[in-house]
Amino acid sequence: MNKRTFIKLFSAMIASPVISPLLARATKDKLTNWAGNLEYSTDRLYSANSLEQVRNYVKKQRRLKVLGTRHCFNNIADSTDNFLSLKPMDEMVALEPEAHLVTVDAGMTYGQLCPLLHSKGFALHNLASLPHISIAGAISTATHGSGETNGNLATAVSALEIVTAAGQVVKLSRQRDGEVFLGAVVGLGALGVIPKITLDIQPTFLMRQYVYENMPLAEVKNHFDAIQSSAYSVSLFTDWQNQRISEVWLKSRVEEGQAFKATSEFFGAKLASKNLHPIAELSAENCTEQMGVPGPWYERLPHFRMGFTPSAGKELQSEYFVPRQHAVEAILAVERLRDQISPHLLISEIRAIAADNLWLSPCYEQPCATIHFTWKQDWPAVSKLLPIIEKELAPFDARPHWGKLFTISPAVLKSKYKKLPDFIQLSKNYDPHGKFRNEFLSTIIFSS
Ligand SMILES: Cc1cc2nc3c(=O)[nH]c(=O)nc-3n(C[C@H](O)[C@H](O)[C@H](O)COP(=O)(O)OP(=O)(O)OC[C@H]3O[C@@H](n4cnc5c(N)ncnc54)[C@H](O)[C@@H]3O)c2cc1C
């Protein structure tokens, strides 16, 4: 990935009446994404702390992008012109217990929302591997957790507001706005600025997670469906070596009648005797509690704990969604590339996700399995490997995660989203002159 030229921070300070911690960090190091593999193309960053500030700023700028918590690995969030941060807008705005809804400011992270929600007696249906990410950034890229009955995190969105290029506030809801709503939720930041989101909630619940070690790959081949349906959320971690899954993480809801009962063996894997990190060499201190200890949903659904570094830190990530019926073939296809993959890999994770009806969700109208790669931070090597993996996964209609690294061509990618023409039209309604476009969107979504 090319390093970018930076405009001096000074210009961002002039533009911003509120200097956020994000900006403070940028004074020392240049403004980068979380992993540090991407220096953004400008550090002109304005932090808004009210809807009025958002609207005024949007009206004044010719081009801008919103920055969430900067956890994407590609340039989907990048801008050569201006960044808007909603980080100071991080309150829970309304809790509607009867309707099972919570409305939040879009700058809020899951790590901020979840304990608050739990203290009021409520929960979300699922979480990603880390709670550190902004809610708006996560839903904009169809971020997901695991569990074959769980849709991605964007499926919990019940309503949202969008500040359009003209500075107008559009309110969309699942109940009222049908297809337009379904098109807007996984919006890739293309429709405008999301200042507020309403999410479905449910009564809070407890969970426990068990980790098993060393499952023979043959078990995955023969029993993938049984393995995936054995708990509320199932993650298989592998380094693709020795025909085995190194760790199986099973997360189950404690109150469910059919909660997972820990046995000493699970499809040939052995129950772990201590907490583990998915990358076995790293400290499990960063990970959520295992060994069957019950705890609140938000301290078990993510793999990594708030306040600790998630994953490895210095890394790259790629992930491919394949329709669920191709899961085993796709896994075996990747496994055949083990000798090419392993030298550059920290760990892979295989998960399952329910189908949804959000236009740009990779799970649009199809349940999926995902094959994820956490890479060593060596883009020259990884960029050579990705086309090889993508070629092997092509027969299985693989789609990349919107926020991770991929090399699939725009033409191929576009052919996989039948609602893309409708999405482009929707974007043009809200942003006729491309105020919210950047290189990623212009190349991948809007090029003809
Ligand atoms: C360690 C690690 C673990 C991860 N684990 C998972 C995982 O388990 N599952 C998974 O699916 N992904 C995972 N990811 C990827 C991550 O969830 C996504 O990249 C997600 O989009 C990050 O949210 P963010 O706020 O950091 O987004 P950013 O990178 O800041 O922005 C992403 C996009 O959202 C847009 N956006 C952000 N806020 C707004 C707003 N208010 N209005 C309009 N547009 C907005 C941006 O413009 C950009 O287009 C992981 C990433 C890391 C670094």
Side-chain angles (χ1 to χ4, degrees), residues 83-127:
F83 285 121
L84 173 63
S85 170
L86 272 55
K87 195 169 169 17
M89 296 170 67
D90 62 357
E91 299 284 317
M92 185 162 94
V93 179
L95 182 68
E96 298 171 74
E98 301 293 306
H100 279 171
L101 295 172
V102 66
T103 299
V104 298
D105 285 332
M108 204 173 199
T109 64
Y110 288 96
Q112 289 171 305
L113 173 63
C114 295
L116 203 54
L117 209 49
H118 175 67
S119 72
K120 309 269 182 206
F122 291 97
L124 299 173
H125 80 294
N126 209 2
L127 290 169

Side-chain angles (χ1 to χ4, degrees), residues 17 133 164 192 195 215 223 226 254 265 270 311 314 316 343-344 353 359 373-374 398 410 419 422 434:
I133 50 179
T164 67
M215 174 186 280
H223 305 292
V254 169
E265 275 207 23
K270 299 269 184 304
S311 195
K314 193 162 186 263
L316 302 175
H344 308 291
I353 311 162
W359 292 359
F373 303 86
T374 300
K419 297 297 273 185
D422 300 311

Side-chain angles (χ1 to χ4, degrees), residues 33-35 40 68-73 130 132-134 310 317 403:
N33 66 345
W34 171 84
Y40 293 122
T69 42
R70 303 173 291 125
H71 282 78
C72 286
F73 289 85
L130 75 176
H132 310 59
I133 50 179
S134 80
Q317 293 188 10

Side-chain angles (χ1 to χ4, degrees), residues 163-206:
V163 177
T164 67
Q168 302 296 323
V169 180
V170 174
K171 299 184 181 195
L172 296 174
S173 87
R174 188 197 285 141
Q175 253 186 345
R176 215 183 35 233
D177 298 293
E179 281 292 304
V180 171
F181 170 80
L182 299 174
V185 179
V186 179
L188 312 183
L191 306 186
V193 182
I194 303 168
K196 217 182 270 181
I197 303 174
T198 302
L199 299 170
D200 295 331
I201 52 174
Q202 55 184 274
T204 195
F205 54 90
L206 295 180

Side-chain angles (χ1 to χ4, degrees), residues 367-402:
C368 286
T370 54
I371 307 177
H372 162 92
F373 303 86
T374 300
W375 302 110
K376 294 174 187 166
Q377 207 171 77
D378 179 358
W379 178 238
V382 172
S383 63
K384 287 193 192 88
L385 251 180
L386 293 184
I388 298 169
I389 295 170
E390 288 163 1
K391 188 164 170 248
E392 287 304 307
L393 290 179
F396 312 117
D397 195 25
R399 297 153 187 224
H401 191 300
W402 289 115

